[in-house]
Amino acid sequence: MWQSSPPGSIYDYIRVASFSIGPDGLIEQWSRRAAGLFGVAAHEALGKDPVEAFMPGELRRDGHRRIGEVLDGKEWTGLVPFRMPGEGALHGLAEIYVMPSETATGERAAVCIVVDVRALRGIETDLAASQAIFGQSPFGFVLFGTDFTVLRANQRFATVFGGRADDHRGRTVHDYLAGTEADRLAATLSRVLTTGEAVTDLQLVGTAPGEPERRHWSMNLYRVHSGSGRPIGIAGIATDVTRRHIAAREAASARRNLALLNEASARIGNSLDLETTARELLDVAVPGFCDLASVDLYQSLLTGEEAPPGSWSSLRQESVGGSAELRRVAFASAVSDAMPDAMPSSGSGTAVGPGTAVGPGRGQGTGPGPDSGLGSGTAHSGDASLGQPVAGPPALGAVHRYPFNSPCAIALRTGHVEDVPGDDRGFVQSTFAVPMVAHDTVVGLVQFSRTKGSEPFGERDRALATELAARAAVCIDNARLYRREHERALILQRSLLPPGDPEAAGLDIACRYLPGNTATEVGGDWFDVIELPGHRTALVVGDVMGRGLRAAVAMGELRTAVRTLALLDLEPAEVLSALDEVARGLGTPGGSTSSDGTGGAQWPSRAAHKSREADLSEVYLATCIYAVYDPVTRRCTFANAGHLPPVVVEPGEPALLLDVPPGMPLGVGGEPFEEVEVELKEGALLALYTDGLVESRDHPLDEGLEALRGALVEPAPLLEDVCDRVLSTLDTRHGEDDIALLMARIQGLPTEAVGDWRLPREPRSVGRARELARGQLLAWDLDDLVDTTELLVSELVTNALRYGEGEIRLRLLRDRTLVCEVWDAGLVQPRRRRARDTDEGGRGLQLVGLLSAAWGSRRTPRGKTVWFELPLPDGRPAAERTVEELLSMF
């Protein structure tokens, strides 16, 4: 089969031409390639002597000799300079192969083949350059044919994939890459060959022979053409970018770590709650850092013990039985909920008790159970509460211990990160057990895990895990310290408020206290209900300006002072005057007031004085309303120190603000306080409150007072319901101030519960008093108290006759206890003394103190009142007096 050489064949590159010489030594035939090579057309060359036409003059003689030899039948090959015909013709160098021939008549002739030496030299240079570039290139160079098999590969390529360069001829992409990567490269080769569009930076991943680690290559592909433009294959240049990929991955990891730390700074520690802080840590870590995570905190930390077991000294003293008790407080999972018990258990643990689930984590962390992922396990099953070993991770909320030699226990003891082996099923491939250390104290343990398919942890990840745990540990330790101080403040606050619902004679009482700051729950508002002699009751509501612990401490001092002054049975105005002196003493060094009222004291050193100045920068001011209610008369006496007026709601009437002169706040001084006495109807409602209930930045005081009056219209039968309605109706959730609310419903003593008699100032009044007391007690069915009451009434009336003045008044009151009062116009207060052995009298008040539950005296506007109190009989026999008690009177 004849096949013409396509354009762009090798002959075009090496420029081969031919011509023939006849027997006469003249050109007989002239090919077109000869015309192209020498630049002479056939009609110009035919019939000419080639030596004379093309050779320089100095070579013509030798040229004629060579032609003669050829025509004599001798072949010849050599380099022959030539020149183009015409003036200024170019000179060249041709390699000529001259072969003898014969004509049809038997005459000798010659056939000449001519090659342009310059073209040969160019081809040699190009081949050498191509071979140098291809063979000496530091990049892997490979040439694929149109059938996508390797036509040629350089030594660099062979170095990576083994063998010699020639061994790779005929191989395909599947001999170098596996699976999808090979298919992807084959598809790319087909596209480049079809479209002619080059592909740059094609990322390929594979393994070189004998190397376990994956390599990364960047490949550039372009189509290769012949001189005529015909595609003859695809050239590929492959560069190993594994280091660049590792560097990029490390840079991305560093950026991710920085982003995680930044996110951790913003999201961890927003709450002062231990469990919430633990969940915030996991919200940051999963899935940005790991696939699974859990947080265990020491049980003692959660129960509020003073010294957590995570301190270095206690860690060194842990017994070989395992770690101290921990509770799993949070976990998070980014894997499917079809993967239960995913977290490595770090060895079989010991379940201490069932614990309490303190809150969900992230992902599947919604509580213990089969779908709880990281938090699932058997810590709740069987006899876990007996301390038996259990398999698998503890459940969320479970209290547990780690075995002594487990990685988690070692991490807790040493304070260093430990690697935890993966689970038997091979689901988790890498786990860090990271102790949470804050201020040289280990507060717990956090575990970070990555599952199969994720990149295993590295050293950078270890450092990041340590940093995340440390930040969370500091926040948790701060929350622990806050919780401790908060609990102390709450204990202080609650100790300064009446426990439960206080009781009082003739009053139904309900109260509420709401802190303005829910974070501390302590403030300067207070209320109190104080029992006074004669079944009277003092109602107190006060408000120290300011908030927080300092205000609570000042409030405690004022409340204690009020109780002390109330026990002296002073009038309300006198109580506030004395309390004002106390409040002014709180704002001076040492709690004292100078003679000029400005306050002052001498300090032991200048440093101590400067230290005290900061504490004295806040002036203690307070408002207070003090009311004394007498259930016999249903009269209430008010005194006000800058406080809001009380509200009274009588049956069937609208709520009214009592007009009680406000006076100056406590701590200002210099102004007397006025008293207002009001008679209250049976069933009336009295409300005392602080300004936090009715005043805020968005609600003026007048609007708040009007809203309070509206909330008290048609009060509910139960006083507790009235308090709830007031707090729900008024806007009390503004959080700007504390709220104290004290409500009392008037229930005066019934007439039949009061015995009141007036006696003349004469000796027989003593016997008359005994008779009246006996008769009243028998009418009340208090027979067990007759003898004691007669004896004590006789003593008090006798003292009134002997030391008092004016008319004598005897009053018996029956409520929760029996109270006996003896009134006279004398101002001298009785004084208990110890009688000598030779004294015939002076033991009356000792007898009163011995036989009564309480006794005392108080001033009245017209004299004094001496009283004693006896408990009502409860059916049990009265306790007999001991010899020591009886002898104490002597």
Side-chain angles (χ1 to χ4, degrees):
M1 177 181 295
W2 291 93
Q3 180 178 358
S4 61
S5 176
S9 67
I10 188 63
Y11 300 105
D12 293 332
Y13 289 102
I14 62 177
R15 303 183 69 178
V16 177
S18 65
F19 63 92
S20 63
I21 301 175
D24 56 358
L26 301 180
I27 297 175
E28 188 176 63
Q29 292 178 343
W30 189 256
S31 67
R32 292 182 178 179
R33 286 185 177 272
L37 174 62
F38 295 103
V40 177
H43 68 275
E44 296 178 354
L46 292 176
K48 290 186 177 181
D49 185 349
V51 176
E52 296 293 333
F54 300 106
M55 295 185 65
E58 63 273 12
L59 297 178
R60 290 175 183 174
R61 181 177 180 180
D62 186 60
H64 285 295
R65 182 175 61 82
R66 294 291 183 185
I67 291 296
E69 291 176 355
V70 171
L71 292 178
D72 289 339
K74 185 178 179 180
E75 292 185 357
W76 178 79
T77 303
L79 296 177
V80 178
F82 67 91
R83 63 178 179 84
M84 302 297 182
E87 300 245 346
L90 297 176
H91 290 72
L93 183 65
E95 182 175 291
I96 299 178
Y97 179 36
V98 182
M99 297 173 291
S101 66
E102 291 182 359
T103 64
T105 60
E107 294 178 301
R108 292 184 178 181
V111 176
C112 300
I113 298 176
V114 184
V115 177
D116 189 349
V117 175
R118 293 176 302 176
L120 289 176
R121 298 293 183 267
I123 292 174
E124 290 177 356
T125 302
D126 291 343
L127 288 175
S130 175
Q131 182 61 32
I133 294 174
F134 191 84
Q136 300 174 20
S137 172
F139 308 109
F141 200 105
V142 61
L143 179 62
F144 294 95
T146 55
D147 58 352
F148 307 135
T149 60
V150 176
L151 298 178
R152 189 177 180 186
N154 67 353
Q155 189 57 41
R156 177 61 180 172
F157 185 88
T159 301
V160 175
F161 291 100
R164 298 175 304 165
D166 293 339
D167 296 338
H168 293 271
R169 296 180 184 272
R171 293 185 180 181
T172 66
V173 294
H174 293 278
D175 295 321
Y176 305 104
L177 301 174
T180 57
E181 290 293 283
D183 295 337
R184 192 159 63 91
L185 178 57
T188 305
L189 291 173
S190 177
R191 186 172 70 253
V192 172
L193 182 63
T194 302
T195 64
E197 296 179 358
V199 172
T200 59
D201 198 21
L202 175 65
Q203 296 293 319
L204 298 173
V205 180
T207 57
E211 294 186 8
E213 295 184 358
R214 295 191 305 175
R215 306 291 293 273
H216 296 260
W217 293 284
S218 173
M219 199 162 192
N220 298 329
L221 299 172
Y222 59 94
R223 191 170 67 183
V224 180
H225 306 85
S226 67
S228 62
R230 177 174 57 89
I232 61 174
I234 304 101
I237 301 176
T239 305
D240 190 336
V241 294
T242 303
R243 292 184 179 179
R244 187 175 70 186
H245 182 80
I246 293 175
R249 185 176 59 187
E250 291 181 351
S253 176
R255 288 193 299 268
R256 182 198 64 188
N257 293 352
L258 290 175
L260 275 175
L261 291 177
N262 183 57
E263 184 181 6
S265 300
R267 297 182 60 181
I268 299 176
N270 293 323
S271 170
L272 288 174
D273 179 75
L274 298 175
E275 294 84 358
T276 301
T277 302
R279 291 194 293 270
E280 289 172 346
L281 167 62
L282 300 193
D283 288 340
V284 172
V286 178
F289 176 67
C290 61
D291 301 317
L292 305 169
S294 68
V295 175
D296 298 322
L297 296 181
Y298 278 112
Q299 177 70 355
S300 59
L301 191 76
L302 298 169
T303 55
E305 295 182 12
E306 187 67 23
S311 59
W312 296 124
S313 59
S314 61
L315 286 175
R316 289 192 293 268
Q317 298 172 0
E318 286 186 0
S319 65
V320 295
S323 67
E325 294 181 5
L326 298 107
R327 183 190 298 176
R328 178 146 295 181
V329 297
F331 81 92
S333 173
V335 297
S336 171
D337 56 2
M339 299 292 182
D341 303 337
M343 194 71 176
S345 59
S346 306
S348 297
T350 301
V352 180
T356 302
V358 296
R362 181 173 174 167
Q364 310 307 318
T366 56
D371 293 332
S372 57
L374 178 60
S376 61
T378 57
H380 282 294
S381 63
D383 297 329
S385 61
L386 301 180
Q388 297 182 0
V390 294
L396 180 67
V399 179
H400 63 97
R401 297 177 186 268
Y402 286 110
F404 183 79
N405 291 324
S406 65
C408 291
I410 295 174
L412 289 170
R413 288 196 303 273
T414 62
H416 300 298
V417 181
E418 292 291 328
D419 293 316
V420 180
D423 58 349
D424 297 335
R425 294 168 302 174
F427 178 68
V428 174
Q429 70 165 343
S430 183
T431 298
F432 283 150
V434 187
M436 306 177 73
V437 183
H439 311 301
D440 292 337
T441 299
V442 178
V443 299
L445 182 79
V446 56
Q447 296 184 65
F448 302 109
S449 297
R450 288 182 180 174
T451 59
K452 289 298 180 62
S454 298
E455 185 178 355
F457 287 125
E459 287 303 316
R460 289 180 180 269
D461 297 319
R462 182 184 296 267
L464 178 60
T466 304
E467 181 65 21
L468 288 175
R471 295 195 180 198
V474 170
C475 296
I476 287 177
D477 192 55
N478 290 340
R480 175 184 70 86
L481 296 175
Y482 163 77
R483 174 180 288 185
R484 184 184 66 184
E485 298 303 321
H486 185 202
E487 289 176 352
R488 292 177 178 177
L490 284 181
I491 292 173
L492 172 63
Q493 181 80 50
R494 291 165 183 168
S495 67
L496 299 178
L497 296 175
D501 292 329
E503 297 180 355
L507 291 176
D508 180 18
I509 296 177
C511 50
R512 294 288 188 274
Y513 173 80
L514 297 177
N517 187 346
T518 57
T520 59
E521 297 188 14
V522 294
D525 288 14
W526 90 93
F527 63 89
D528 208 346
V529 178
I530 307 171
E531 294 188 44
L532 300 178
H535 287 314
R536 294 171 305 135
T537 304
L539 304 175
V540 188
V541 170
D543 182 2
V544 176
M545 297 183 184
R547 64 179 63 184
L549 192 58
R550 288 174 59 84
V553 171
M555 175 269 286
E557 297 186 18
L558 292 178
R559 178 178 179 270
T560 302
V562 170
R563 280 193 158 266
T564 303
L565 295 170
L567 294 178
L568 297 177
D569 212 351
L570 302 176
E571 296 297 324
E574 294 177 326
V575 170
L576 292 187
S577 296
L579 195 62
D580 178 62
E581 294 293 333
V582 174
R584 283 192 289 164
L586 295 178
T588 58
S592 62
T593 306
S594 62
S595 58
D596 60 357
T598 59
Q602 303 219 345
W603 295 91
S605 67
R606 178 172 300 181
H609 177 71
K610 290 183 178 180
S611 174
R612 183 64 176 167
E613 285 180 351
D615 296 335
L616 299 181
S617 59
E618 181 178 350
V619 178
Y620 288 97
L621 296 177
T623 63
C624 180
I625 188 165
Y626 185 89
V628 176
Y629 170 70
D630 189 344
V632 179
T633 62
R634 294 198 310 276
R635 299 186 71 84
C636 190
T637 304
F638 297 91
N640 192 352
H643 205 78
L644 296 174
V647 179
V648 173
V649 185
E650 295 185 346
E653 300 292 336
L656 297 176
L657 297 175
L658 292 182
D659 186 12
V660 180
M664 300 298 292
L666 300 176
V668 176
E671 293 292 333
F673 298 98
E674 300 182 32
E675 294 181 359
V676 173
E677 189 176 63
V678 179
E679 183 175 352
L680 303 174
K681 294 183 179 180
E682 184 74 17
L685 187 65
L686 175 65
L688 305 178
Y689 51 93
T690 57
D691 57 357
L693 181 66
V694 295
E695 184 179 21
S696 69
R697 295 178 181 178
D698 301 327
H699 298 81
L701 179 59
D702 292 342
E703 292 183 7
L705 292 174
E706 191 63 30
L708 175 60
R709 293 176 57 191
L712 293 175
V713 174
E714 298 180 0
L718 295 178
L719 204 55
E720 294 290 338
D721 295 339
V722 177
C723 288
D724 293 338
R725 185 172 68 181
V726 168
L727 294 179
S728 60
T729 302
L730 276 68
D731 181 16
T732 60
R733 298 186 181 275
H734 48 73
E736 296 177 0
D737 200 358
D738 308 326
I739 295 174
L741 175 62
L742 177 62
M743 305 194 75
R745 179 170 277 130
I746 303 302
Q747 298 173 351
L749 288 181
T751 304
E752 59 272 15
V754 179
D756 194 352
W757 307 276
R758 297 181 182 274
L759 302 173
R761 190 173 188 79
E762 55 187 30
R764 63 180 183 177
S765 294
V766 176
R768 178 59 179 165
R770 287 197 298 269
E771 293 176 2
L772 293 172
R774 172 184 288 272
Q776 186 65 64
L777 292 182
L778 293 177
W780 286 341
D781 295 327
L782 298 178
D783 301 19
D784 296 340
L785 299 181
V786 170
D787 293 339
T788 303
T789 304
E790 279 190 295
L791 176 59
L792 300 185
V793 165
S794 176
E795 290 293 336
L796 294 187
V797 173
T798 299
N799 284 344
L801 287 173
R802 181 176 298 177
Y803 304 110
E805 299 177 6
E807 186 181 38
I808 299 173
R809 181 181 176 186
L810 173 64
R811 188 166 75 169
L812 295 179
L813 306 176
R814 178 188 177 182
D815 192 68
R816 292 173 298 160
T817 60
L818 175 67
V819 174
C820 176
E821 299 176 330
V822 176
W823 307 47
D824 70 84
L827 299 177
V828 179
Q829 296 291 323
R831 181 175 61 87
R832 183 176 177 178
R833 65 183 181 87
R834 180 177 295 276
R836 295 189 297 269
D837 295 344
T838 58
D839 291 343
E840 296 181 359
R843 298 180 179 86
L845 292 181
Q846 294 187 36
L847 188 63
V848 173
L850 180 65
L851 298 180
S852 65
W855 78 278
S857 66
R858 68 178 184 272
R859 292 181 300 168
T860 64
R862 298 179 180 84
K864 68 177 181 297
T865 299
V866 184
W867 57 272
F868 67 85
E869 183 176 350
L870 295 174
L872 298 181
D874 54 4
R876 294 179 295 182
E880 296 184 358
R881 302 296 174 181
T882 64
V883 176
E884 289 77 9
E885 290 176 334
L886 294 175
L887 291 177
S888 65
M889 295 184 296
F890 297 94

